[in-house]
Amino acid sequence: MSTEKLSLAKALNEGLRTAMERDPKVVLMGEDVGKLGGVFRITEGLQKDFGDERVVDTPLAESGIVGTAVGLALRGYRPVVEIQFDGFIYPGFDQIVSQVAKMHSRSGGRLALPLVIRVPYGGGIGAVEHHSESNEAYFAHTAGLRVVACADPVDAYWMIQQAIASQDPVMFYEPKRRYHEKGDFPLGARDAAPAGLHEARIVREGDQVTILTYGSMVRTCVQAAETAATEGKSVQVLNLRSLNPLDTDAIMAAARKTGRVIVVHEASTFLGMGAELAAQIQRECFYHLQAPVLRVGGYNLPYPPSRYEREFLPDLDRILDAVDTSLKY
């Protein structure tokens, strides 16, 4: 199949553009998203083409940004707001968990909030604290929110459009260190979505160990699986894509297939997504497991200064050590 090379950032930009062309009610908001095109240039050119009433530069006030999006969504718009960096989301935390997540239930199902909150997340860019955090578990824990994470250009292009089309609020996590890495984009990829918004995808086949991961760690885990293959070990990698709801059918099928499971994410392993996945897999697949579910993630520490982030983030060695540990059982 013929392919082109496309960066994740460019794919997101194209997906946003397509959604805006399709529906005039789609409105983008955020700090510097208009004239500048966002600090990562995800919205570059969109204000020029759609005007400053649809691509709105906001004050530095996350609570105000999210609160305004709530009002727009209630009035029939489909707002897409950008939180400039992951760690900047906390001033808007109350709006998200108390208003965005609760409005549908509070109104007895009469009101919908079709809005998307884009969150560039994770480390690997040499930034200081509040610029490199992985806070997805906070929101996956919050009933009423859908939480997803893209990992490659095809997913980015389609998942942002699917999130915008959702009648429910979606937390949309984007791995910032992957923004400008280019990946394969098949020439027919714009014709149809490869999967639903909440469906997991196998990105590498294997039959000895399953790695469950998402977002920034997908590429790292595929590289680990490729390295393991040179040592005669067969590792399957499942890109979760959706963190709430989870694609439990795909997860359990992958766990039963290999009997060994490793969960990899940048966030701290303590009470992270890996804890929930391990608990569910143990309950549903206990008699299929040949080893305990292992977790590889960040340490239970504040994000370190940039010179130490390579020690903090999961890498090939830590993932391969987990593969070896699992295979020893």
Side-chain angles (χ1 to χ4, degrees):
M1 179 182 296
S2 298
T3 64
E4 61 178 304
K5 291 293 184 179
L6 196 69
S7 69
L8 191 143
K10 179 62 175 175
L12 283 168
N13 182 278
E14 283 195 27
L16 288 167
R17 178 179 295 277
T18 300
M20 295 183 76
E21 290 172 344
R22 182 183 300 123
D23 186 350
K25 292 293 188 180
V26 176
V27 178
L28 311 187
M29 301 168 52
E31 298 162 9
D32 299 317
V33 300
K35 186 175 180 179
L36 182 66
V39 293
F40 297 105
R41 304 301 188 267
I42 306 303
T43 54
E44 189 169 35
L46 297 180
Q47 188 182 73
K48 174 179 176 292
D49 294 338
F50 294 97
D52 58 11
E53 291 186 352
R54 292 190 64 194
V55 183
V56 183
D57 282 315
T58 67
L60 276 66
E62 285 73 20
S63 180
I65 294 169
V66 177
T68 301
V70 170
L72 285 167
L74 289 172
R75 296 292 291 178
Y77 290 89
R78 290 185 176 270
V80 181
V81 305
E82 177 182 287
I83 303 299
Q84 195 170 71
F85 283 90
D86 36 52
F88 294 2
I89 203 168
Y90 303 115
F93 190 87
D94 180 48
Q95 291 281 7
I96 296 170
V97 301
S98 300
Q99 302 295 331
V100 176
K102 304 297 191 296
M103 191 66 71
H104 185 75
S105 175
R106 183 181 299 145
S107 66
R110 292 187 297 275
L111 299 177
L113 284 184
L115 66 89
V116 177
I117 300 174
R118 294 181 42 243
V119 187
Y121 89 102
I125 64 168
V128 296
E129 64 174 334
H130 300 315
H131 293 71
S132 301
E133 299 180 16
S134 299
N135 49 31
E136 61 272 16
Y138 288 130
F139 302 105
H141 175 77
T142 303
L145 298 175
R146 296 179 182 268
V147 184
V148 301
C150 61
D152 60 58
V154 174
D155 273 356
Y157 175 77
W158 280 108
M159 290 176 71
I160 191 64
Q161 295 181 66
Q162 292 166 326
I164 293 170
S166 174
Q167 283 297 101
D168 297 318
V170 179
M171 303 294 296
F172 194 92
Y173 277 81
E174 304 166 5
K176 67 172 80 77
R177 71 157 132 168
R178 305 299 186 198
Y179 271 148
H180 302 295
E181 295 178 358
K182 291 188 176 181
D184 290 336
F185 198 92
L187 295 184
R190 294 177 180 84
D191 298 335
L197 181 61
H198 300 295
E199 293 179 16
R201 293 176 62 197
I202 294 174
V203 292
R204 183 178 174 87
E205 295 283 358
D207 55 26
Q208 287 184 296
V209 180
T210 291
I211 295 178
L212 306 179
T213 189
Y214 54 90
S216 62
M217 284 288 103
V218 172
R219 177 169 291 197
T220 306
C221 289
V222 169
Q223 292 171 342
E226 291 170 348
T227 301
T230 66
E231 302 170 353
K233 300 161 188 170
S234 180
V235 178
Q236 173 178 244
V237 180
L238 184 70
N239 176 9
L240 296 175
R241 302 174 78 247
S242 178
L243 307 183
N244 188 8
L246 289 166
D247 185 353
T248 53
D249 289 344
I251 292 166
M252 301 312 162
R256 294 186 184 103
K257 177 182 177 182
T258 64
R260 294 180 171 86
V261 180
I262 301 166
V263 186
V264 180
H265 52 61
E266 284 195 25
S268 169
T269 56
F270 183 75
L271 293 180
M273 287 300 304
E276 175 64 24
L277 287 160
Q280 290 199 28
I281 290 167
Q282 176 181 276
R283 182 188 64 209
E284 299 296 329
C285 303
F286 183 79
Y287 292 106
H288 291 84
L289 292 177
Q290 300 180 53
V293 178
L294 303 180
R295 294 178 290 162
V296 180
Y299 300 107
N300 191 28
L301 297 166
Y303 200 86
S306 59
R307 71 177 64 183
Y308 297 117
E309 69 177 349
R310 288 188 178 181
E311 303 299 324
F312 181 83
L313 297 171
D315 58 11
L316 286 180
D317 288 339
R318 288 173 61 192
I319 297 168
L320 291 170
D321 282 347
V323 169
D324 290 342
T325 298
S326 185
L327 288 168
K328 286 178 182 177
Y329 282 90

